[in-house]
PDB file of all heavy atoms in Angstrom:
ATOM      1  N   ASP A1014      -4.554  -1.656  36.344  1.00 93.00           N
ATOM      2  CA  ASP A1014      -5.604  -1.086  37.198  1.00 93.00           C
ATOM      3  C   ASP A1014      -5.549   0.438  37.181  1.00 93.00           C
ATOM      4  O   ASP A1014      -6.181   1.093  38.003  1.00 93.00           O
ATOM      5  CB  ASP A1014      -5.528  -1.629  38.628  1.00 93.00           C
ATOM      6  CG  ASP A1014      -4.180  -1.427  39.286  1.00 93.00           C
ATOM      7  OD1 ASP A1014      -3.307  -0.789  38.658  1.00 93.00           O
ATOM      8  OD2 ASP A1014      -3.978  -1.900  40.412  1.00 93.00           O
ATOM      9  N   VAL A1015      -4.794   0.999  36.231  1.00 95.00           N
ATOM     10  CA  VAL A1015      -4.790   2.442  35.974  1.00 95.00           C
ATOM     11  C   VAL A1015      -5.202   2.627  34.515  1.00 95.00           C
ATOM     12  O   VAL A1015      -4.523   2.133  33.603  1.00 95.00           O
ATOM     13  CB  VAL A1015      -3.400   3.068  36.212  1.00 95.00           C
ATOM     14  CG1 VAL A1015      -3.439   4.558  35.888  1.00 95.00           C
ATOM     15  CG2 VAL A1015      -2.935   2.839  37.641  1.00 95.00           C
ATOM     16  N   GLU A1016      -6.306   3.294  34.300  1.00 95.00           N
ATOM     17  CA  GLU A1016      -6.818   3.482  32.941  1.00 95.00           C
ATOM     18  C   GLU A1016      -5.873   4.371  32.131  1.00 95.00           C
ATOM     19  O   GLU A1016      -5.170   5.219  32.687  1.00 95.00           O
ATOM     20  CB  GLU A1016      -8.214   4.117  32.983  1.00 95.00           C
ATOM     21  CG  GLU A1016      -9.258   3.296  33.727  1.00 95.00           C
ATOM     22  CD  GLU A1016      -9.635   2.014  33.003  1.00 95.00           C
ATOM     23  OE1 GLU A1016      -9.398   1.944  31.775  1.00 95.00           O
ATOM     24  OE2 GLU A1016     -10.172   1.099  33.660  1.00 95.00           O
ATOM     25  N   GLU A1017      -5.881   4.189  30.818  1.00 94.00           N
ATOM     26  CA  GLU A1017      -4.921   4.906  29.978  1.00 94.00           C
ATOM     27  C   GLU A1017      -5.093   6.423  30.063  1.00 94.00           C
ATOM     28  O   GLU A1017      -4.105   7.161  30.126  1.00 94.00           O
ATOM     29  CB  GLU A1017      -5.002   4.440  28.520  1.00 94.00           C
ATOM     30  CG  GLU A1017      -6.346   4.600  27.859  1.00 94.00           C
ATOM     31  CD  GLU A1017      -6.342   4.044  26.439  1.00 94.00           C
ATOM     32  OE1 GLU A1017      -6.594   2.838  26.269  1.00 94.00           O
ATOM     33  OE2 GLU A1017      -6.082   4.826  25.500  1.00 94.00           O
ATOM     34  N   ASP A1018      -6.328   6.906  30.104  1.00 95.00           N
ATOM     35  CA  ASP A1018      -6.529   8.357  30.152  1.00 95.00           C
ATOM     36  C   ASP A1018      -6.058   8.955  31.469  1.00 95.00           C
ATOM     37  O   ASP A1018      -5.769  10.162  31.544  1.00 95.00           O
ATOM     38  CB  ASP A1018      -8.005   8.693  29.920  1.00 95.00           C
ATOM     39  CG  ASP A1018      -8.411   8.524  28.462  1.00 95.00           C
ATOM     40  OD1 ASP A1018      -7.503   8.366  27.619  1.00 95.00           O
ATOM     41  OD2 ASP A1018      -9.615   8.531  28.166  1.00 95.00           O
ATOM     42  N   ALA A1019      -5.975   8.132  32.516  1.00 96.00           N
ATOM     43  CA  ALA A1019      -5.486   8.630  33.803  1.00 96.00           C
ATOM     44  C   ALA A1019      -3.984   8.895  33.774  1.00 96.00           C
ATOM     45  O   ALA A1019      -3.444   9.521  34.685  1.00 96.00           O
ATOM     46  CB  ALA A1019      -5.811   7.623  34.906  1.00 96.00           C
ATOM     47  N   CYS A1020      -3.310   8.415  32.719  1.00 96.00           N
ATOM     48  CA  CYS A1020      -1.862   8.606  32.598  1.00 96.00           C
ATOM     49  C   CYS A1020      -1.485   9.802  31.739  1.00 96.00           C
ATOM     50  O   CYS A1020      -0.291  10.123  31.611  1.00 96.00           O
ATOM     51  CB  CYS A1020      -1.225   7.349  31.994  1.00 96.00           C
ATOM     52  SG  CYS A1020      -1.376   5.862  32.999  1.00 96.00           S
ATOM     53  N   LEU A1021      -2.468  10.457  31.144  1.00 96.00           N
ATOM     54  CA  LEU A1021      -2.156  11.506  30.168  1.00 96.00           C
ATOM     55  C   LEU A1021      -1.425  12.697  30.783  1.00 96.00           C
ATOM     56  O   LEU A1021      -0.565  13.309  30.132  1.00 96.00           O
ATOM     57  CB  LEU A1021      -3.440  11.975  29.476  1.00 96.00           C
ATOM     58  CG  LEU A1021      -4.050  10.966  28.491  1.00 96.00           C
ATOM     59  CD1 LEU A1021      -5.364  11.496  27.929  1.00 96.00           C
ATOM     60  CD2 LEU A1021      -3.071  10.661  27.354  1.00 96.00           C
ATOM     61  N   ASP A1022      -1.738  13.043  32.019  1.00 95.00           N
ATOM     62  CA  ASP A1022      -1.024  14.156  32.666  1.00 95.00           C
ATOM     63  C   ASP A1022       0.458  13.832  32.828  1.00 95.00           C
ATOM     64  O   ASP A1022       1.325  14.701  32.633  1.00 95.00           O
ATOM     65  CB  ASP A1022      -1.639  14.465  34.031  1.00 95.00           C
ATOM     66  CG  ASP A1022      -2.969  15.184  33.926  1.00 95.00           C
ATOM     67  OD1 ASP A1022      -3.250  15.719  32.838  1.00 95.00           O
ATOM     68  OD2 ASP A1022      -3.713  15.202  34.920  1.00 95.00           O
ATOM     69  N   ARG A1023       0.768  12.584  33.178  1.00 95.00           N
ATOM     70  CA  ARG A1023       2.169  12.184  33.321  1.00 95.00           C
ATOM     71  C   ARG A1023       2.865  12.199  31.962  1.00 95.00           C
ATOM     72  O   ARG A1023       4.040  12.575  31.858  1.00 95.00           O
ATOM     73  CB  ARG A1023       2.277  10.798  33.949  1.00 95.00           C
ATOM     74  CG  ARG A1023       1.841  10.742  35.399  1.00 95.00           C
ATOM     75  CD  ARG A1023       2.343   9.484  36.086  1.00 95.00           C
ATOM     76  NE  ARG A1023       3.780   9.541  36.284  1.00 95.00           N
ATOM     77  CZ  ARG A1023       4.650   8.670  35.791  1.00 95.00           C
ATOM     78  NH1 ARG A1023       4.240   7.666  35.049  1.00 95.00           N
ATOM     79  NH2 ARG A1023       5.941   8.788  36.015  1.00 95.00           N
ATOM     80  N   VAL A1024       2.162  11.782  30.928  1.00 96.00           N
ATOM     81  CA  VAL A1024       2.741  11.835  29.573  1.00 96.00           C
ATOM     82  C   VAL A1024       3.064  13.276  29.213  1.00 96.00           C
ATOM     83  O   VAL A1024       4.150  13.573  28.701  1.00 96.00           O
ATOM     84  CB  VAL A1024       1.774  11.224  28.540  1.00 96.00           C
ATOM     85  CG1 VAL A1024       2.305  11.424  27.123  1.00 96.00           C
ATOM     86  CG2 VAL A1024       1.576   9.736  28.802  1.00 96.00           C
ATOM     87  N   GLN A1025       2.134  14.176  29.497  1.00 95.00           N
ATOM     88  CA  GLN A1025       2.343  15.605  29.209  1.00 95.00           C
ATOM     89  C   GLN A1025       3.578  16.118  29.939  1.00 95.00           C
ATOM     90  O   GLN A1025       4.426  16.806  29.356  1.00 95.00           O
ATOM     91  CB  GLN A1025       1.109  16.398  29.643  1.00 95.00           C
ATOM     92  CG  GLN A1025       1.240  17.905  29.536  1.00 95.00           C
ATOM     93  CD  GLN A1025       1.144  18.418  28.112  1.00 95.00           C
ATOM     94  OE1 GLN A1025       0.480  17.809  27.280  1.00 95.00           O
ATOM     95  NE2 GLN A1025       1.813  19.526  27.821  1.00 95.00           N
ATOM     96  N   ASN A1026       3.714  15.769  31.214  1.00 94.00           N
ATOM     97  CA  ASN A1026       4.855  16.238  32.009  1.00 94.00           C
ATOM     98  C   ASN A1026       6.178  15.668  31.508  1.00 94.00           C
ATOM     99  O   ASN A1026       7.220  16.335  31.595  1.00 94.00           O
ATOM    100  CB  ASN A1026       4.653  15.865  33.474  1.00 94.00           C
ATOM    101  CG  ASN A1026       3.521  16.634  34.120  1.00 94.00           C
ATOM    102  OD1 ASN A1026       3.176  17.723  33.684  1.00 94.00           O
ATOM    103  ND2 ASN A1026       2.924  16.061  35.158  1.00 94.00           N
ATOM    104  N   ARG A1027       6.153  14.461  30.982  1.00 93.00           N
ATOM    105  CA  ARG A1027       7.387  13.855  30.478  1.00 93.00           C
ATOM    106  C   ARG A1027       7.761  14.407  29.105  1.00 93.00           C
ATOM    107  O   ARG A1027       8.943  14.492  28.761  1.00 93.00           O
ATOM    108  CB  ARG A1027       7.231  12.330  30.399  1.00 93.00           C
ATOM    109  CG  ARG A1027       7.024  11.653  31.741  1.00 93.00           C
ATOM    110  CD  ARG A1027       7.021  10.157  31.608  1.00 93.00           C
ATOM    111  NE  ARG A1027       8.328   9.660  31.237  1.00 93.00           N
ATOM    112  CZ  ARG A1027       8.589   8.389  30.923  1.00 93.00           C
ATOM    113  NH1 ARG A1027       7.628   7.504  30.921  1.00 93.00           N
ATOM    114  NH2 ARG A1027       9.799   8.011  30.606  1.00 93.00           N
ATOM    115  N   ILE A1028       6.755  14.749  28.329  1.00 94.00           N
ATOM    116  CA  ILE A1028       6.991  15.237  26.972  1.00 94.00           C
ATOM    117  C   ILE A1028       7.606  16.639  26.973  1.00 94.00           C
ATOM    118  O   ILE A1028       8.501  16.943  26.157  1.00 94.00           O
ATOM    119  CB  ILE A1028       5.660  15.248  26.178  1.00 94.00           C
ATOM    120  CG1 ILE A1028       5.305  13.841  25.729  1.00 94.00           C
ATOM    121  CG2 ILE A1028       5.744  16.176  24.990  1.00 94.00           C
ATOM    122  CD1 ILE A1028       6.254  13.274  24.696  1.00 94.00           C
TER     123      ILE A1028
END
Side-chain angles (χ1 to χ4, degrees):
D1014 56 4
V1015 178
E1016 300 291 339
E1017 59 183 87
D1018 286 348
C1020 296
L1021 288 176
D1022 286 343
R1023 292 197 71 239
V1024 174
Q1025 174 75 29
N1026 291 335
R1027 296 186 68 187
I1028 282 293

